[in-house]
Amino acid sequence: MTASRRPYAEVIGDPIAQSKSPIIHGFWLEALGLEADYRKTLVTVDELPAFFAERRADPDWRGCNITMPHKLAALDHVEDRGDVRGGIGAINTVFRAEDGGAVGTNTDAGGFYAPLAGFDLVGKAVTVIGAGGAARAVLFALARMGVGPVTVMNRNSLKAGALLAGFGLKGQARPLTHPLAADTALLVNASTLGMAGQPPLDVDLAPLREDAIVYDIVYSPLETDLLAQANDRGLETVDGLEMLIGQAALAFELFFGAEPPRDRDDALRELLTA
């Protein structure tokens, strides 16, 4: 007797054990009573071509989320129908199109923006730490929010400067050791610094104004040293689960054709932090 098959999606990366995406998508699939699965799969850079070739041939595959270090490299192995390469320049989601194609897109930008929708940041100074795939999505969103000027802090200042220019943002590139600008209204850590197993993020928040927002996309640990420092100062904070859940919600609809039950976010956060 042949085992029954059902649709599935997954998250790929290297490493992948830390990913909370299966918890999120599994929670929504169960809540909606959908007969589908969501997995996590370790894929190295060398394995990317074979991975996508195999998945395209699998009729049950609905797509994948992409985490480090594949957000740029994966673009070479999927269709780019929305010119993500010319826009954000990195993908975090691949979905199966109606015609069977594997199409790359980016839900990070929307996930990043969602928790900031209620704040007035037009024309206000922003500092972003990092210049990788996640930073690209952050800068893409910031360019459309009308913020400015933007300072990008990164080990490689030349790379940071090129990103600013690429997104048409006015601002400056600075090394990680540079003090924060006192007029920063929003500070975003878009790097892996401060993540469990990664080097710490050594930033002094003392120069920040009292109404500044500190946003850390790292979600493991949930309260990073950066957020702990911000909380000690009484600053507004946004943790990494906000962006993680937001981008996952957009991907979930692409994979499974249904809106996730966002009215159950509190229960989902409890599950993710248990």
Side-chain angles (χ1 to χ4, degrees), residues 27-40:
F27 177 86
W28 289 334
L29 287 170
E30 182 177 357
L32 295 175
L34 296 180
E35 291 293 322
D37 295 317
Y38 188 95
R39 314 164 182 172
K40 56 185 172 185

Side-chain angles (χ1 to χ4, degrees), residues 88 108-110 112-113 136-146 167:
I88 297 178
D108 275 340
F112 166 76
Y113 170 73
R136 286 176 174 271
V138 168
L139 292 171
F140 179 87
L142 291 174
R144 279 143 188 80
M145 290 166 60
F167 288 104

